Amino acid sequence: MNGALQDASKSRTNAPLFSVIILNWNGRHNLEECLSFIRSQAFRDFETIVVDNGSTDGSVDWVKERWAESVSVVALSTNLGFAGGNNAGILVARGRYVILLNNDTAVDPGWLAAMDDAVRRRPDAGMFTPKILNYYRRDEIATTGHLIYPDGMARGRHRLEKHDGRFDEEGEVLSPSGCAGVYKKEMLDEIGLLDDAFFAYGEDVDLGLRGRWAGYKCIYVPAAVVYHKYSATTGTYSPQKAFLAERNRLWLLFKNFPVVDILFSPFYTFLRYSLHLKGVLIGKGASGRFTRESSAGALFRVILKAEMAALRGLPGILRKRRECRGYQRIGTREFRRGIRRFALTAEEVALKD
């Protein structure tokens, strides 16, 4: 990977405020719009880095030809997933804040200016998240940060709600969405980067929870607006996404949750699975959509495969849990208050699309 980083190596002098990292995998069709909207920003103190996860669609050559003057490229030889790919970008980022931006997004012209205002007003925060709207239905919220269920399954806050002014108040949230999350470099230097064992899904929540253990808050910035083509890369209800989401929520649980919460989590999982079964029968929620496109048997096999994979990886996750203790600044009671404040109900996680 070291050779792949040469294209993006830059002097560390005159560091910009933000490093915008765009992860790409065979997404050349999305990059033109994404990069154009970034170039249109009124705020200019930033650098742009495209990390290519081993694309075969000519993305790297296209960016180098069309955007050589304003965009650095990290060309990876293989697909390292969301976590590994973004980590490669973070390693060469010069900014004081790192922004992980999906390639299937378009940003509002005032997006970075709003983020600049927020980070200057809230130097105590280590993470920020914008208001993310549905690219195709711009009166619909995609996420305003994350919520979390007591067994480790996470979901976007206010997802599918109407964008009608009710969610325009800045305030604390659990963690950023990896779709457009902003992270203080100082925090990442302390707690480490995304966990590349996750590959994709849940690693942004894991990073956010680790940041909270270290005493950092996450601030929702509604004036910073991003439009997202939800799940354009992996598919909304694909078997791969279902596998990764279920496996990774177990890893996230065992890595970050207090022991007592882990012991009680099977009860919540049973309740969630019961409602997923209801979703299969009535055709609602992710399970209902999945079985319409595949089958209930396929869903059961995916969940079983995910849980077996999670168990195989558990020794490594528990080692990482012990490593996290080195930077924990808050107690169990305060952490638990945080996850309860931003808790999901079983109905939301199982039956809401």
Side-chain angles (χ1 to χ4, degrees), residues 313-348:
L314 195 54
I317 292 297
L318 293 178
R319 285 194 297 272
K320 292 174 182 178
R321 178 186 177 92
R322 291 191 292 270
E323 293 169 3
C324 292
R325 292 176 182 170
Y327 54 74
Q328 290 179 6
R329 292 203 195 99
I330 66 171
T332 298
R333 184 175 297 179
E334 184 177 347
F335 180 84
R336 186 179 286 122
R337 279 200 300 267
I339 59 177
R340 288 179 176 174
R341 179 181 173 189
F342 301 109
L344 271 170
T345 66
E347 288 78 6
E348 284 179 288

Side-chain angles (χ1 to χ4, degrees), residues 41-55:
Q41 292 300 294
F43 180 84
R44 303 305 304 170
D45 189 15
F46 70 95
E47 65 175 349
T48 306
I49 302 168
V50 170
V51 180
D52 188 81
N53 250 338
S55 294

Side-chain angles (χ1 to χ4, degrees), residues 54-104:
S55 294
T56 57
D57 67 348
S59 292
V60 171
D61 290 339
W62 181 85
V63 174
K64 288 181 177 180
E65 291 170 4
R66 297 284 297 273
W67 298 88
E69 293 183 2
S70 58
V71 177
S72 299
V73 177
V74 176
L76 303 175
S77 59
T78 58
N79 186 354
L80 300 183
F82 181 91
N86 275 308
N87 285 345
I90 294 170
L91 289 174
V92 300
R94 298 181 299 122
R96 284 170 281 164
Y97 290 85
V98 168
I99 302 178
L100 307 183
L101 186 68
N102 278 21
N103 65 348
D104 56 350

Side-chain angles (χ1 to χ4, degrees), residues 64-274:
K64 288 181 177 180
E65 291 170 4
R66 297 284 297 273
W67 298 88
E69 293 183 2
S70 58
V71 177
S72 299
V73 177
V74 176
L76 303 175
S77 59
T78 58
N79 186 354
L80 300 183
F82 181 91
N86 275 308
N87 285 345
I90 294 170
L91 289 174
V92 300
R94 298 181 299 122
R96 284 170 281 164
Y97 290 85
V98 168
I99 302 178
L100 307 183
L101 186 68
N102 278 21
N103 65 348
D104 56 350
T105 57
V107 294
D108 185 83
W111 163 66
L112 275 183
M115 277 299 174
D116 169 59
D117 177 64
V119 302
R120 295 184 188 281
R121 285 188 291 100
R122 297 299 304 262
D124 58 314
M127 302 169 281
F128 299 83
T129 195
K131 178 194 293 177
I132 303 176
L133 303 178
N134 187 314
Y135 177 90
Y136 301 105
R137 297 184 297 277
R138 299 196 175 190
D139 62 343
E140 179 182 285
I141 299 283
T143 178
T144 60
H146 275 126
L147 299 173
I148 197 161
Y149 186 64
D151 74 350
M153 188 64 77
R155 182 185 177 90
R157 190 177 73 130
H158 299 140
R159 176 161 165 72
L160 303 182
E161 297 284 350
K162 282 291 183 183
H163 178 223
D164 55 10
R166 288 177 295 155
F167 311 116
D168 287 346
E169 183 177 352
E170 183 174 300
E172 185 182 351
V173 296
L174 180 70
S175 66
S177 166
C179 164
V182 181
Y183 304 90
K184 198 173 191 176
K185 197 73 174 295
E186 179 182 311
M187 183 191 80
L188 298 179
D189 290 340
E190 181 179 349
I191 70 172
L193 307 184
L194 294 158
D195 188 338
D196 55 13
F198 281 53
F199 191 77
Y201 298 107
E203 67 285 276
D204 52 348
V205 185
D206 168 65
L207 184 63
L209 293 182
R210 284 157 46 206
R212 294 188 74 87
W213 273 117
Y216 292 97
K217 294 180 179 179
C218 178
I219 303 301
Y220 165 57
V221 186
V225 179
V226 174
Y227 305 97
H228 184 212
K229 304 170 186 175
Y230 188 68
S231 290
T233 299
T234 59
T236 308
Y237 302 102
S238 71
Q240 181 194 27
K241 181 176 179 178
F243 167 81
L244 292 170
E246 186 65 24
R247 183 197 68 178
N248 292 352
R249 70 95 188 165
L250 280 163
W251 285 352
L252 184 148
L253 176 77
F254 278 93
K255 187 175 174 183
N256 295 286
F257 275 48
V259 173
V260 172
D261 298 70
I262 295 172
L263 293 175
F264 278 99
S265 68
F267 165 78
Y268 292 101
T269 300
F270 177 79
L271 177 59
R272 180 171 62 85
Y273 282 170
S274 299

